[in-house]
Amino acid sequence: MSAERIYRLLLRAYPPEFRAEYGREMVLLFRDQCRDGDVRTVGFWARVLWDVARSAPALRAEAWWTPGRENTRTLEVIMKLAAMLTVLGGVLGILNAGVEWGAALTGTIGGMHSLSLVLGVFASALLLAAGAAILRPTPRGRQAGRLALLASLVLFIAARLLFPWMSVFSQLVGIGLPAAFLIALYWPSKATPSGAV
């Protein structure tokens, strides 16, 4: 087994985030040390083991005691997933409104039904815009996403009141999705002590 492979195994003592950020540079530094020193001596490996034994537990403890960073990272992943689902929901809402419009054209279409479908299309477009705004990792982007979600929710409820025979899918996407994402967007800012999410 080569010295570099042994060192790569020793690097597993460090936290995954640390390895992802600094692992490559540490291996490059180790290669330089191997070139400058004798890899076959006990003193060389004693220094390497001492360095890993001294620094890895401290970094593991630091990663364990600061779970806020990991929670923030997990929350960012969840928000990106929610934003992508919102974009998908907006696209599906627009397609669904188009299908309902096409189905209505085969029969007689009333004024309230057409107004309801127009509101549904606008609400789905707002849902699409909300997802795009949430994907921007700035407070301004999240605020724009919240406003677009709220406007989308209001328009879907108005469309539902105008035309009570809206499909279950339209109701689920148009009312349930924005309401769930609004709760998700406001929940973390109240749950974290700093309020910075």
Side-chain angles (χ1 to χ4, degrees):
M1 183 179 278
S2 73
E4 186 175 325
R5 288 184 68 186
I6 294 170
Y7 186 69
R8 286 182 187 271
L9 286 174
L10 289 173
L11 285 180
R12 294 195 178 268
Y14 292 97
E17 301 86 23
F18 183 82
R19 282 195 320 260
E21 191 169 342
Y22 300 108
R24 185 174 183 278
E25 288 84 7
M26 291 175 77
V27 169
L28 292 174
L29 180 64
F30 180 76
R31 283 182 192 163
D32 291 342
Q33 289 175 345
C34 288
R35 218 179 3 250
D36 295 341
D38 189 10
V39 182
R40 293 172 288 202
T41 63
V42 175
F44 176 84
W45 285 105
R47 284 190 305 276
V48 170
L49 287 174
W50 173 250
D51 183 48
V52 172
R54 185 177 44 89
S55 58
L59 289 168
R60 285 273 182 185
E62 180 184 335
W64 189 72
W65 284 107
T66 56
R69 276 194 326 214
E70 202 158 304
N71 287 344
T72 302
R73 208 170 304 129
T74 303
L75 183 62
E76 288 172 5
V77 169
I78 290 170
M79 293 313 294
K80 285 181 182 177
L81 180 62
M84 288 186 273
L85 287 174
T86 305
V87 168
L88 181 64
V91 169
L92 291 176
I94 291 171
L95 291 175
N96 187 51
V99 168
E100 285 189 19
W101 185 273
L105 289 178
T106 59
T108 58
I109 185 168
M112 289 297 175
H113 185 232
S114 61
L115 180 59
S116 173
L117 286 175
V118 168
L119 287 176
V121 168
F122 281 131
S124 295
L126 281 169
L127 198 58
L128 184 67
I134 293 169
L135 281 172
R136 293 181 55 204
T138 62
R140 194 172 197 180
R142 294 226 173 139
Q143 184 62 27
R146 288 178 181 134
L147 291 173
L149 281 171
L150 187 60
S152 174
L153 183 62
V154 168
L155 285 178
F156 267 115
I157 290 172
R160 173 70 175 102
L161 292 174
L162 286 174
F163 187 66
W165 304 109
M166 189 183 284
S167 71
V168 173
F169 177 76
S170 291
Q171 292 177 47
L172 185 66
V173 168
I175 297 171
L177 196 64
F181 290 145
L182 277 171
I183 291 169
L185 281 170
Y186 280 109
W187 185 277
S189 63
K190 293 179 181 173
T192 58
S194 63
V197 172

